[in-house]
Amino acid sequence: MPTKRKLMTPQDVQGAWAIMPTSAKEGAESWRMTDSLDLDASVDAINGLIDSGIDGILTMGTYGEAATLTLDEKKRFMACLVETVAGRVPCFVGTTTLNTRDTIELTRYAADLGADGTMLGLPMWCTPTLPAAVRFYKDVAEACPDMAQCIYANPEAFRFDFPPPFWAQVADIPQVVSAKYTAIGQLIQNLELTRGKVRAMPIELDYYAGARIDDDISAFWSSGAVCGPKPTIALRDEVARARETGDWTKAKALTDKMWWAVTPMFPAGGFREFSMYNIAIDKARMQAAGWMQVGPARPPYDMMPDHIRAGAETAGVRWAEMAKEAV
């Protein structure tokens, strides 16, 4: 069993963190598939991300298909991830379930394996109240005191707006070290409430803008990394260079290129419709990019209209083209 490291702090969360899917075997879109994991492909991707210079790995959220893996698959993938990473970078696994007790059990399992933390969203059933949402994170922290938490602040997935009073309370939980945001506006709104206590992480598309606004934004998450990690690493390095020189030209140009690459993923130009199909969209995008063997999405989130699939595949091809150009 790996040696458990000390609890991470917000200051330990820096740089580019890859969002990693759980690779699936051919036929995984069928409910008849009892073992859908392609662990060989996962091992290749983990090593490839680390060799590229990625700073951390987040998985088993939306793209990691935490909502469609069986419990056995979750446990085996966690074990594969921790064993393959072998302490080279921090790794956080998703342990969100429908309730607090199952979440605690799965989080303890991940902690015993040696995972550094959990990327934790709220239970998905009733719309949470503010007191219920805060207590959920406090309860998991109390039950799993050595496990860091990255709050997965996705309003569409968890039917909760993650308002400022929420952040004012969870920022005082030592285990809450980072937050994965989907919107830069929400992140900036709450930055003063979490400064020094929780590392606010925007998506790569918003990292340039966030970094120009505040030096405390020094980490980001990337779903594009598994379409080819070079642009992700280049963005991290260009922002670091710009902070030293004051010249943000290259960081902005790379960000603009990323927006060009991902735009076809958004059917109506926004997040709401995208979130209806986001698992299938992103896996089609990743497969089309060709850097990682991701396989099909699992049921019931494997279906999408043909025009949306075409947009996802175009986004993957564009990212692959950008990755070839990245230095």
Side-chain angles (χ1 to χ4, degrees):
M1 180 181 297
T3 301
K4 183 65 183 176
R5 286 166 281 180
K6 67 178 182 179
L7 179 67
M8 289 183 66
T9 70
Q11 290 68 41
D12 295 325
V13 181
Q14 299 287 342
W17 287 58
I19 299 294
M20 186 176 161
T22 45
S23 293
K25 297 175 182 176
E26 202 72 32
E29 66 272 29
S30 170
W31 64 265
R32 295 173 178 82
M33 175 73 75
T34 57
D35 175 13
S36 69
L37 295 175
D38 184 344
L39 295 181
D40 290 338
S42 295
V43 168
D44 289 344
I46 294 164
N47 286 326
L49 289 170
I50 295 173
D51 290 345
S52 75
I54 211 76
D55 295 291
I57 294 175
L58 298 163
T59 188
M60 296 175 66
T62 304
Y63 303 148
E65 295 186 86
T68 61
L69 295 172
T70 67
L71 179 59
D72 177 68
E73 287 172 332
K74 288 181 181 181
K75 289 182 174 180
R76 290 194 297 111
F77 180 77
M78 287 179 185
C80 173
L81 174 70
V82 173
E83 180 180 351
T84 306
V85 169
R88 290 177 288 172
V89 298
C91 61
F92 282 46
V93 296
T95 57
T96 303
T97 73
L98 292 177
N99 64 78
T100 300
R101 291 180 297 171
D102 280 340
T103 297
I104 287 171
E105 181 179 348
L106 192 57
T107 305
R108 284 174 169 169
Y109 183 86
D112 289 342
L113 286 173
D116 297 280
T118 170
M119 183 171 66
L120 191 60
L122 290 161
M124 296 179 247
W125 197 280
C126 297
T127 300
T129 64
L130 175 62
V134 172
R135 191 181 73 174
F136 171 74
Y137 288 101
K138 286 183 176 179
D139 286 346
V140 176
E142 179 185 353
C144 309
D146 298 325
M147 192 70 154
Q149 295 180 21
C150 173
I151 292 181
Y152 184 8
N154 185 330
E156 292 291 335
F158 304 113
R159 292 182 293 174
F160 183 70
D161 289 336
F162 297 90
F166 167 82
W167 296 106
Q169 295 179 64
V170 298
D172 290 327
I173 303 173
Q175 287 77 12
V176 176
V177 300
S178 61
K180 176 179 178 283
Y181 283 89
T182 58
I184 188 69
Q186 182 194 41
L187 183 156
I188 298 301
Q189 179 187 39
N190 297 316
L191 195 59
E192 293 305 318
L193 297 171
T194 59
R195 185 180 303 280
K197 297 180 177 180
V198 180
R199 178 68 68 206
M201 301 175 68
I203 188 173
E204 60 211 337
L205 301 169
D206 291 330
Y207 185 51
Y208 159 79
R212 295 211 67 172
I213 291 169
D214 200 295
D215 285 343
D216 202 52
I217 299 176
S218 57
F220 65 98
W221 59 273
S222 170
S223 60
V226 294
C227 295
K230 286 185 178 180
T232 302
I233 300 302
L235 178 64
R236 178 198 66 191
D237 295 345
E238 288 298 343
V239 167
R241 188 175 297 112
R243 280 180 158 148
E244 292 180 359
T245 65
D247 182 0
W248 292 84
T249 306
K250 290 184 178 180
K252 183 181 186 304
L254 181 53
T255 300
D256 290 344
K257 192 75 170 180
M258 287 180 170
W259 276 106
W260 165 81
V262 305
T263 297
M265 291 169 57
F266 298 96
F271 186 70
R272 183 170 292 274
E273 187 173 359
F274 165 80
S275 67
M276 295 171 61
Y277 304 104
N278 58 351
I279 297 175
I281 286 174
D282 235 287
K283 291 201 85 172
R285 170 202 182 198
M286 294 166 182
Q287 193 70 19
W291 186 85
M292 176 183 178
Q293 178 63 36
V294 297
R298 300 168 176 88
Y301 304 120
D302 57 306
M303 297 185 296
M304 60 180 159
D306 289 343
H307 73 282
I308 292 180
R309 178 180 297 278
E313 291 173 348
T314 297
V317 170
R318 286 186 179 187
W319 191 281
E321 291 175 4
M322 181 174 58
K324 290 179 181 177
E325 299 170 1
V327 179

